[in-house]
Amino acid sequence: MSTPTSPPISPLLFSAQLYPGRGLGWLVLGASLHDVLTRLKTEPQRFPNLDVKYSPTSPTTSIIIIDLPANGMRLQFDAPEQRLRLIEVLDFTKNHIFLKAADNKERDLVRPSTASTPSTDNAAGPTFRHIYQRFLGPTYDGEFVDGPKTPDNAVDQFGLYCLSWPGVAFTFLMKKEAYSAKKNVVDLLPSTQVPEVMGIFSGDSWTQARQTLWTDVLPSLKTFTPFTKGKEVFPDEVSLIKIYGAGKLQVFRKWTDQHFWIRLGQTTPQDLVSHLGPPDAIYRKSDHKMFAHNTRTGSDAMKRPDSADLKHQDDLTDTDQSSANAGSDGYHSSDDETSDISIEDGHVSGECFYNYFFHGFDVLVSKPTAPSPVPPSQEQGKNVPNVPKDWLLTANADSLVATKIVLHGNVPGSYPFNRHRRCRWEIPYLSSVSDVVINSESDFPQIAESLRKEWQSIYPSEEEARKAQRGMVLNRGWGDSPGSSIEFLGGWEGDGATAAPDAGGTAKKFDGPADSTTTLYGFPGLVFEVLKNGAVTAVTVF
């Protein structure tokens, strides 16, 4: 008679393999906030509560945290790049974590319980003995960190003892009087003690890694085989765009030293597709609908959903559409007029936006227009970009070229949060009027002051300059953006009644609240969309 097998664990329980130094299941160190949050929102039953925490006053420079209380986990991202830097497990009973040894056998951190077979492990989590003897094996002695002071300024009697392995660490609560540098880890920790937190990070030890945790260049996601196996090939992410004025933009790749140029008024749709791949979606200005098309690259390894399984854009409350990266053959319009559009080779008919959610920007493709003026400092021979010499002007005035590009900041708390990955940018020509680098993390008052100094010579007076640069308030909760001012992508909600899900993962209605109001500021060749805290949520280059 065969032995009956144990009932499987709940399919809704987050179950993941631990990869020390690289990730936990599909949560990979270095993944973007946009990609992680989008993936979490696709599984609301497994991840019912998403709590995004950030600094309201400095959202582009302070740490961003995603709390998953129902899963006992916390994810921490740096703010400038918005990349996953630290994975923490706070409650070991709300997830199933396992490690595969060299013999390919699984080792459970905590054996999950089922209704008929309760776990015999410690109800609160794994014991020190299990971690040290069976799960990860022996390691060097840990580090003792003093606890914080109490409100009455008295010294807390407890501290934390951090025990590290390469890429993973556990912290244990310990009385200060019990710690002695002369004792080894086995003597310090009771065999049955359960850790407070498990952390997954990039580095040899937590002591070494925490020094550069938020600034280290993490390995490319493409080098992590479990993450890329069976997935289609896609271009490397854009890490930085340098804005040189006069329609010249230098685009840098992540994890490589490669770059290419976009010249507004000259770069063709074919050029965009050649460098960036097909866009994730197309937004047609003529009818204010978004159409996403075939986004195949070189591989058909990943199956894509059928169009019947996907909603029409007007019915969506979450318009980030970033899942197009993972495959979205099925996005098609019900209008016949666009059924013949091909974005595989860059051929389109009519004005439209190329939406690159994965890269963090949108490109307006339209008939050629004159580029913005050359910055005065460049006319004086300063900060002149070394652009390719073989650029040719577009011969046919009716042909379509890139004429504007919208760079998205994906700032937490902004109305379009999580529609695009964060795109970082710099304005090198401002180095002649500013002692610091003006970039996507700069506060707008600092950006505006530098731009006023750069362009002051083109205005007849200071008063005329301030009139031209005064702000225009925009409320995204009221529907479409004003087409007469700038082509911001924010009016995909039809009548404006619904918006993208907020940080908690639930859709909400807007009737002009503070978080949907921004201000537009214009300078030659640039328009900034600015939040009340001074953070730039988008910049349009033309």
Side-chain angles (χ1 to χ4, degrees), residues 334-443:
S334 58
D335 300 72
D336 292 337
E337 62 176 304
T338 61
S339 60
D340 60 343
I341 293 180
S342 169
I343 59 175
E344 289 286 347
D345 53 7
H347 292 293
V348 292
S349 58
E351 233 174 53
C352 62
F353 275 99
Y354 273 22
N355 304 130
Y356 286 100
F357 302 107
F358 175 71
H359 293 302
F361 54 81
D362 306 306
V363 184
L364 176 63
V365 175
S366 63
K367 293 182 180 179
T369 58
S372 59
V374 176
S377 61
Q378 289 184 8
E379 290 185 335
Q380 298 169 9
K382 302 175 182 177
N383 305 306
V384 178
N386 185 21
V387 298
K389 302 298 183 183
D390 57 349
W391 274 355
L392 300 174
L393 293 175
T394 304
N396 187 352
D398 293 328
S399 61
L400 296 177
V401 292
T403 55
K404 292 183 182 180
I405 182 168
V406 185
L407 312 178
H408 295 275
N410 194 34
V411 179
S414 63
Y415 187 88
F417 177 61
N418 208 51
R419 288 183 184 169
H420 294 74
R421 185 179 65 82
R422 178 170 176 80
C423 179
R424 303 184 74 190
W425 48 265
E426 289 181 8
I427 308 180
Y429 66 80
L430 294 180
S431 62
S432 60
V433 295
S434 175
D435 295 332
V436 298
V437 177
I438 299 300
N439 57 26
S440 46
E441 286 73 64
S442 303
D443 287 335

